[in-house]
């Protein structure tokens, strides 16, 4: 098991020095943040929409017995 952990540590150290890899990660994060921000902007009050979705989810989970998959 120690050899696997050592191999992981060596590979992690190697990747952290890889500037191309770091650039790819940073690009991916910027793209994610841009899409996330655009999605948030689609809602005038995204926090209220998030709260409403949470309440709907809780209601559905708490009453699964009322939801039948058969017709």
């Amino acid at each position: 098991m120690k050899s696997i952990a050592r191999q992981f540590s060596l590979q992690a150290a190697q990747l952290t020095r890889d500037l191309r890899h770091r650039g790819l990660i940073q690009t991916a994060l910027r793209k994610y943040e841009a899409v996330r921000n655009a999605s948030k902007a689609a809602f005038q009050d995204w926090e209220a929409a998030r709260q409403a979705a949470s309440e709907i989810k809780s209601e559905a989970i708490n009453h699964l017995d009322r939801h039948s998959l058969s017709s």
Side-chain angles (χ1 to χ4, degrees), residues 37-44:
N37 292 341
S39 296
K40 280 185 185 179
F43 295 98
Q44 287 183 347

Side-chain angles (χ1 to χ4, degrees), residues 48-59:
R50 183 177 182 197
Q51 181 63 35
S54 176
E55 291 171 8
I56 291 167
K57 178 181 172 183
S58 293
E59 179 70 16

Side-chain angles (χ1 to χ4, degrees), residues 19-45:
L19 297 180
R20 180 180 174 277
H21 183 261
R22 290 172 77 172
L24 292 170
I25 296 297
Q26 289 172 350
T27 298
L29 286 173
R30 280 192 299 274
K31 288 180 180 180
Y32 164 78
E33 289 167 353
V35 170
R36 181 197 62 200
N37 292 341
S39 296
K40 280 185 185 179
F43 295 98
Q44 287 183 347
D45 187 357

Side-chain angles (χ1 to χ4, degrees), residues 4 6 10 13 36-37 40 43 47 50 53 63-64 67:
I4 292 172
R6 180 169 166 72
L10 290 172
R36 181 197 62 200
N37 292 341
K40 280 185 185 179
F43 295 98
E47 290 173 333
R50 183 177 182 197
H63 298 101
L64 284 174
H67 306 289

